[in-house]
Amino acid sequence: MNATPLVILGVLGVAGVILPVLDVARRERFTQAYAAVALGALFISIGYVGYQFVSGMVQPGAIFSTDVLADDAFGGLFAIAMLIVAVFSVTGSISYMRDQKYPAVYYSLILLSAIGMVLVAYSTDLVMLFVAWELMSIPTYVLAGFMKRNPISNEAALKYFLFGAMSSAIIVYGISMVYGLTGTTNISEVIVALTTLDASMMPLAILAIGLFVAGFGFKMGLVPFHMWLPDTYEGAPQPITALLAAATKKAGFAATIRIVVMGMAALHLDWTLALGIIAVMTMTIGNVAAIMQKNLSRMLAYSSIGHAGYILIGLAVAPHSAAGLQGSLYHVLNHAVMKGAAFIAISGVVVALAVTHLDKIRGLGRRMPITALGLTVSLLALAGVPPLNGFWSKLMLFGAALESGSFVWWGPWLAIAAVLNSALSLAYYGWIMRKMYFEGEDAKRVKEPKSVIAVMIFSLLFMVGLGVYPDPVIQFVEMATPTFLLP
Amino acid sequence: MALIEFVLVSVALLGIGIYGLAVKRNAIRMLFAVEIIINAANLNLVAFSRYVDDSGGQTLALFSIAIAAAEVAVGLALVVVAYRMYKDVDIANFRSLRG
Amino acid sequence: MVWLVWILPFVAALIMPGVGKASKKATNYVAVGFALASALSAASLLPMALAGDEIHDQIMWIEAIGLEAGVLADPISVIMANVVAWISFLIMGYSTGYMKGDRDIIRFWFWMMFFIGSMQIIVLSDNLLQLFFGWEGVGLASYSLISFWYRDKQKDHVGQRGRTALGLLDYYSPTHAGMKAFIMTKVGDIMMLSGMLLIFLYAGTFGFRELVETTTWATQMDAVGLLVPAFVLLFGGAVGKSAQFPLNEWLLEAMTGPTAVSALIHAATMVKAGVFLVARIGPIMFALGAAGILGEQFFAIVAWTGAITALLLATQGMTNPEIKKVLAYSTGSQIGYMMMALGVAGLSHQYVDGYTAGFFHLISHAMFKASLFMAAGSLLHVVGSRFMTDMGGLRRHMKKTYAFMWAAGLGLMGAPFITTGFWSKDAIFAAVYESGAEFGMILYGIAVLTAIITAFYTTRMIGMVFHGEKSPHIQKMESKGHHVHEAHLSMWVPYGILAALTIILGVAGLYIEGSLHHLFEEYLDHSFHIHSEHGEETGILGGLNPVALVSSLAAFGIGILLGYVFYIGRLVSPQRLVSSNLFFYAIHKLLLNRWYLNSIIYWCFVVAPLWLARGLFRYFERTTIDYGMNTGLEKATRWGATVVQGTQTGTVQSYLFVFGAGLLFVVLMLMV
Amino acid sequence: MIEFGLLQAVFLPLFLAPVAYVLGTRYGAAPAMWFSFAVLLYGTVLVVLGTISGYSEYYPWTGEFGGFGFSLDGLSSPFAIIIYVLSTILVLYSRPYMVHRFEEMANGTLQTSALNRQVGLYFALYLVFAMGMLGTVLSTNLIQFYVFFEIMLIPGFFLVSLWGDGPRRKIGLMFLFWTHVGAVVLLLGFLMIGLTVGSFDFSDISESAIPPDIVLLSAIAISIGLGVKLAVFMFHIWLPWVHGAAPTPISALLSPAMIGIGAYGIFRLVVEFLPNTFADLAIWFHIWGIVTMLYGGAMALMQDDIKRLFAYSSISQMGYLLFGIGSLSVLGMAGAEMMYITHALGKGLLFMTAGILIVKAGTRSISKLGGLAGKMPITAVCAVIGALTIMGVPPTSGFMGEWILFYGALETAISEGSMVRAVTFGLGLVATVLTMSYMLWMLKRVFFGKTPEHLEKVKEAGWHMTAPMMVLAGFTIVLGIYPDIFLEGIIPYMEGVLRI
Amino acid sequence: MADAVFLALSVLTIGSAIAALEMRSLIYGSIALMGSLGGVAGFFFLLDAPFVALFQLAVYVGSIAVLILFTVMLVRRELIFKKIEDRRRKMAGIGLLLVFLVSVGALIMSSGIQQMDSDSPPIDFREIGEDFLVYYWPALVVMALILSGAVTGALVLARREVESGTN
């Protein structure tokens, strides 16, 4: 039974299609109503996913159905993460889009993109995955360039688009290779076929995996496929950046875990070192580049690259440590909320003060206390400072890397690199905090957008609450983590 | 005709596409390159579909063509917007975001 | 009662701020009253002690380690306690006059009482750890009192302004002096502490009585060669506190304190603590001889340290122009005598002889030195200068002081038959002479030489102060209307008493020494099982060693004669003598510059470490640590960031190129 | 014992921190101060009561990483008591100092409302800071330990960066960065242990055998991590800056209470859980300790800024702690813990002195001070007592720490017949002289000598500032005379740890 | 016969792909692109996939390429004929291309794909339809959403603003 993805598809799809129609039907502009519709649809979806979980109708782990979609906990976890981010994005947009044109299309595209992400996570067929991938990507190209009069936005969108187009072509290419090797596009069948692959076909399988890594890695922001990311994150409207950083990126991980990791396991490849190297490169470059940034969005974009590296650790050590993938999934969930909250906070700053430059957010702690608090806490959570949620997932990731040390020599080094990076990241997060709180003492308070406040409060509760008492989420993650019991 | 011949052609197209993306400065030409890559993939898909005797490849090729159309539409729209702003489509000049 | 002896001064110290708040005058009565009470309670122990009994009282202290605190009132400690208490009492009385009107009188009384209390802890403690409390308390009190005039006014400095030795100023402020005293004695203290800890490690106890009960610990320590080092380390503490060579240099600067403090330090507390410590541990060591463990090296070290100090400081005392410094040198020198006696005691078979001699000298020295210091304090008060060259011709104006100073000075010189100093010094000579130790004769020679010098500088001091012409300084004072007059009653009475005692007890000196000898003989036998060979000494003078007697007399005679020639009779001008001859000039300079010992210590242990620390700070901390790890790391990261940012050119072609190359890279990486 | 006593002691300050903020903002400094004082006092009472009854609490927490709990044993209770006692009395001290600081920062144009807001924020952060420290030492789980270890960092960062001196923002970041680096390295060690054992609970770890190679690595990681907190030689990069710059009540809390937690960590995590490895590593701790002692002392000699002097002195004192830990003997380690207590008392006093000087004399440069003993007698007396405590002169508690410490070092040196240990013992004694030198020199330059003209009008500080000092001064003397208060608990614990 | 056709198609496809990128004029370039796309369609015929081939012709050659052509014509004339190149970048690109071709070619040549051959009958395009409706129907729905989203998005983007926006 694959009810959940279909319900989401239905609910969000209908809302997504209706919104532009509504826009045409109603001549007067009433932005909040569109947002309300979008939010309603998203809440229904989240509620449904949650209800499925609570009522225990979801199968644990990642399952492989003969259908194109599976209703499993793995997808459910991603769905929740992504839908939360979509809610953030929509909520954050309410104030952001107040004076912009075409709000209906805007929200509709967010919804469509959300469908795409969710379905990527639920897909058990390569074709479905590809199509969902595109549904996720194409609206975000538009959204990134939605500020038509802003050259930055357009530049960001163009760069994003070119990368996106190239990587989707590469994904198709990869799918074609896999398909050629196995004669099927259903992931479970693919994996079964790959386990019995003829040795002479191995180079092609590797080529396919490489293509997948590149194709998905672009979305995840893995080095060296990351180069579009800072530019786009900086240029795109901040609520959309939130969506990109916190949600579409996670779709990349969902796809990678479903296909690449499973496929690699099926091929009995020694792929962990390669992923480990990419992970270290990714986090190091991300964190180092972030240090001297002057633009808040850009700094967080680099931090986002760094976090992709952390998540990749879990993938790299997945065969050696059960905690690896758990940590990855956990960090996916946490990072979604943390980064989402951070970017929404920035969007609030942009709405209220129209600045993102670090020197201009001096005294933000006094000007916009709640936003600043939310940003601070999410930065601390990103840095992995306990007792915030980010700490626990990093803990699991580092632990997994260490644990793998008994199988692979580089496991502890991975952990050390990650730990040092994590410490390094605190330097630039601290820099932001410094600007917000310790400079500009004479700043006066300004009005903060209510929607942003709502997001801040939710994410604060999430980050602190689940940081103090992480057990439910850990159990949830454990349930959602795929095992290497191949079909 | 062996399968490998089609695959080689496809790889050649893929390489040309990547080359185009990495070298060309005109946004529209870059779109050409994207199309070439997608076509390479499609060629691959259909060829494999023929040789493994399964319809899935062709199905995906059809999806891929449709999606390419959608992508191109969006891409062209972006190029048009860019052109309106800069009166230029030389993407190498679009570098206010960097560092 | 025993506890009261040291608790009372502390109580006085503690209530002093409160009393002082009510009335400053009342503090005088409190201080003197409590000192008297403490002295009385000490005196009440005398009958018990003279009967050869002892009180040993313990209470639980640090239960976790099983340590007990306690008091041990045996003959030696009771006698010592009485000396301390009574002399302190007199000094307190003197202080009421001397410190009259000082605005920090409360602090003064607090530390004085603290000083006395700490000293009594040392004396009466039954174990090393508790003793160490008193030990450090004494150090602390001396620190506070030496730098009592902490405002560092010029008149409170010691040394000649602007004079340098080896490039270092020989001019010290009170606070500097206090610090120097504290740190230098601390060097001794840590040695003592490590000695204590070594003993505790093997014996499992700090108690003096417990250490005697068994010898297994000593056997074990001896087996690994740690016994003598441990005792030598303990003696290190005594060296520091008693200002023995090479830790003697603080004693001179300690003269920055009020004179009452100097008197207390030199006569009753502090420097005597070292002697007392050696008297405490010496028998323990010696008693081990019965178990076949010989500690001769220890005693030899004690004796030689004492001898060297005695000579070293006595020679320096000949040239110094400051009256208090002369007295200070004299103290160090006399303590050297005591150490020498206690040391040679262990080298001979007749431990009790040297022991008695040393202890007797301690008592007599306490009296005359306290007297001398208080008298000197009166002089300072009157003249307003610490330089003897600023005095002169005072005998007509200060007759009482003159007389008392002569009496006490004779005690110091060891005037034959009538002063305690004579008998005690003679006993030391005899002990050294009879010890039969290796190099015993050299020690003896040093002792006699020192005695000559002692007599000389004492005469010199009195001569310079009271005889001759009035100095320009006094003339100036008088021309301004100041009149040189006798000190106040409260001041001269105490030192008068002590000077008188020096003579009175001196007349009965032989008897006192005999009974002391007897008392200690029994005590050592009873407590440490050290038996002495009985025999010859019966008659009045029969107990005296003729050689010692003769040399003692000769030394006194030569010394006082020389002193008379130069300073009382003024037959030869010392200045001319010094400048006439390069040899004398060199000697004079050497002595005046304290054998350069002080300068060398400063160079090695102050200047060099500071230089080293500055170097470390400038060239390591500032560079490697601060710059290297903070700024350097920051710069390195910034550089890395710049490099990474440089790759982010903003040109999408480059990005895509990297993408393509990355694709190849990943594929190839997977292939490998 | 009150139910959930330790839970209250730890978490009440956290939950009531907003109340303190509101009180400060609405009603001014006094209510906020008394409120914070009351909260911490209550916590102190709970901790003391808990110590008397040897108390611990456990609560379920996570499945993966175990539960959390609070436990008071011979090791943790002295730490806990000292931390809360210091925190409690420093609340009183904080008010005049911080009000002075706020006014100073605003150049005298501070409005009451702005002042109140800052006061509220200060006390709120203060409560969290105190709570973080207590939580760390009471933890019964590695992860919990780490969590609290980091929690105390954040308010510290804010306190330093908001109201510190000098380039306070930069120094705040430095503090955050370096201590975080230390913490994450520590975390690596924790993970290695926890994953190997399969549980992060202390009780499980102490019972299980861990493979030696892992143990060595994790012991090194933990030692380095805690070494940064302890600011031992080469890892002391941040400390002089931070202690020099932090608002003085915070310095007085950072230096005595916080950095010593590193020593607690070494006791708990290395000594107790990895005894065999510790036995191998002890000599290195020992040497590291002696180097730190000497180095810190030498650097302290060179300082002109009084707070930096104390900061280097703290480094040196942390060297003592490490030295004691490395002595690998019951009394040596007991001495190390005693040194923590005594350092807390002594350095607390000294930092408070520095604060009074800053407030009253308006400078922290030693060369500009002098002769203040007569102007501020109580401060001077307390400073001297503090200095004596650091120097280890009886009858202050310093001596009780020091002789036990050195005894332990000597004991091991002799029983192992180790020349290296004998030499370090000797150098340790040299270090005490060094300590004494810089302390006395500091006293001489600050309180004695001539009074510069610009200090003629300096007055004694108010009772808010002097009373806490007197309490500490009394405490150190009482402890110096009767150390059994703490030693009774410490020594049996150390015997248990070393299995004697 | 088939080989010759294949060869011709290969030359056409690859050649016009290169031409599309390298021709000075954008218009000719887009026409060359059409040729390349048509060549791929020819391959599809060769591979017995007429349905896909026709779809390719209709969608790609028919609409996309024409769309591109119109866009090209929208922009200014001098832009169409201007071809700015960075020589260094071009060399690097060619280098990358060669390395890519050599390494991936070698990869493929060394694999077992050389032996893959098929003599099975061509796939009936009805199978494709069945796939769409039975197996891939969610994908089809998603496809529809993509198209609608892309179209609305592209419209919104490309629409000329009459009044000046606030942004």
Side-chain angles (χ1 to χ4, degrees), chain C residues 174-309:
Chain C
T175 50
H176 185 126
M179 209 165 87
K180 182 178 178 185
F182 205 12
I183 294 175
M184 264 188 133
T185 53
K186 179 77 177 181
V187 172
D189 294 350
I190 58 169
M191 284 158 76
M192 175 177 170
L193 183 67
S194 42
M196 268 164 62
L197 295 180
L198 268 174
I199 291 173
F200 182 65
L201 181 59
Y202 283 92
T205 176
F206 287 119
F208 297 120
R209 284 289 170 270
E210 287 82 350
L211 284 176
V212 184
E213 275 164 17
T214 144
T215 57
T216 45
W217 60 274
T219 324
Q220 284 170 3
M221 282 180 87
D222 201 39
V224 291
L226 281 175
L227 183 65
V228 173
F231 272 81
V232 169
L233 283 169
L234 275 181
F235 175 62
V239 167
K241 272 297 174 261
S242 297
Q244 298 297 290
F245 176 79
L247 297 176
N248 54 352
E249 293 299 340
W250 65 268
L251 192 68
L252 292 313
E253 273 68 49
M255 291 302 111
T256 53
T259 310
V261 175
S262 307
L264 198 63
I265 288 180
H266 289 249
T269 60
M270 189 85 176
V271 294
K272 293 293 160 60
V275 182
F276 181 78
L277 179 72
V278 177
R280 263 279 186 236
I281 60 168
I284 298 176
M285 187 76 197
F286 192 79
L288 291 172
I293 306 161
L294 294 176
E296 279 179 353
Q297 285 154 310
F298 167 69
F299 289 110
I301 287 172
V302 175
W304 275 104
T305 310
I308 292 170
T309 316

Side-chain angles (χ1 to χ4, degrees), chain C residues 29-101:
Chain C
Y29 303 120
V30 171
V32 178
F34 271 88
L36 180 63
S38 169
L40 285 174
S41 40
S44 71
L45 298 170
L46 265 178
M48 178 274 301
L50 293 179
D53 289 336
E54 65 176 46
I55 298 173
H56 188 194
D57 200 7
Q58 285 180 315
I59 53 163
M60 206 42 164
W61 183 21
I62 311 177
E63 206 164 2
I65 316 178
L67 290 182
E68 286 172 326
V71 288
L72 175 62
D74 54 2
I76 178 172
S77 59
V78 169
I79 292 173
M80 185 75 189
N82 274 292
V83 171
V84 171
W86 286 106
I87 289 182
S88 309
F89 164 65
L90 289 174
I91 294 174
M92 296 310 248
Y94 172 82
S95 304
T96 55
Y98 187 79
M99 297 300 290
K100 190 180 252 170

Side-chain angles (χ1 to χ4, degrees), chain C residues 47 51 69 108 118 128 149 189 273 276 284 292 357 404 423 450 455 468 526 537 592 597 634 668:
Chain C
F108 179 79
S118 301
L128 278 168
W149 285 314
D189 294 350
F276 181 78
I284 298 176
F404 295 144
W423 297 113
T450 307
H526 175 254
E537 81 247 48
L592 197 60
L597 197 60
E634 193 188 323
L668 295 179

Side-chain angles (χ1 to χ4, degrees), chain D residues 55-72:
Chain D
Y55 180 75
S56 52
E57 295 170 5
Y58 296 97
Y59 305 96
W61 194 24
T62 60
E64 188 112 339
F65 302 106
F68 75 101
F70 302 105
S71 144
L72 280 167

Side-chain angles (χ1 to χ4, degrees), chain A residues 296-373:
Chain A
L296 207 47
S297 296
R298 199 170 180 84
M299 189 180 260
L300 288 181
Y302 277 113
S303 131
S304 191
I305 295 175
H307 277 268
Y310 300 140
I311 300 175
L312 203 62
I313 292 176
L315 271 59
V317 301
H320 310 302
S321 164
L325 276 183
Q326 285 175 21
S328 289
L329 291 195
Y330 195 5
H331 204 61
V332 161
L333 184 59
N334 284 335
H335 185 249
V337 176
M338 300 182 297
K339 219 13 111 33
F343 275 113
I344 296 300
I346 297 174
S347 87
V349 175
V350 170
V351 168
L353 306 170
V355 290
T356 52
H357 197 275
L358 261 183
D359 288 336
K360 291 185 180 151
I361 60 161
R362 285 204 178 102
L364 195 71
R366 288 172 191 76
R367 283 197 264 187
M368 306 176 70
I370 298 173
T371 312
L373 180 69

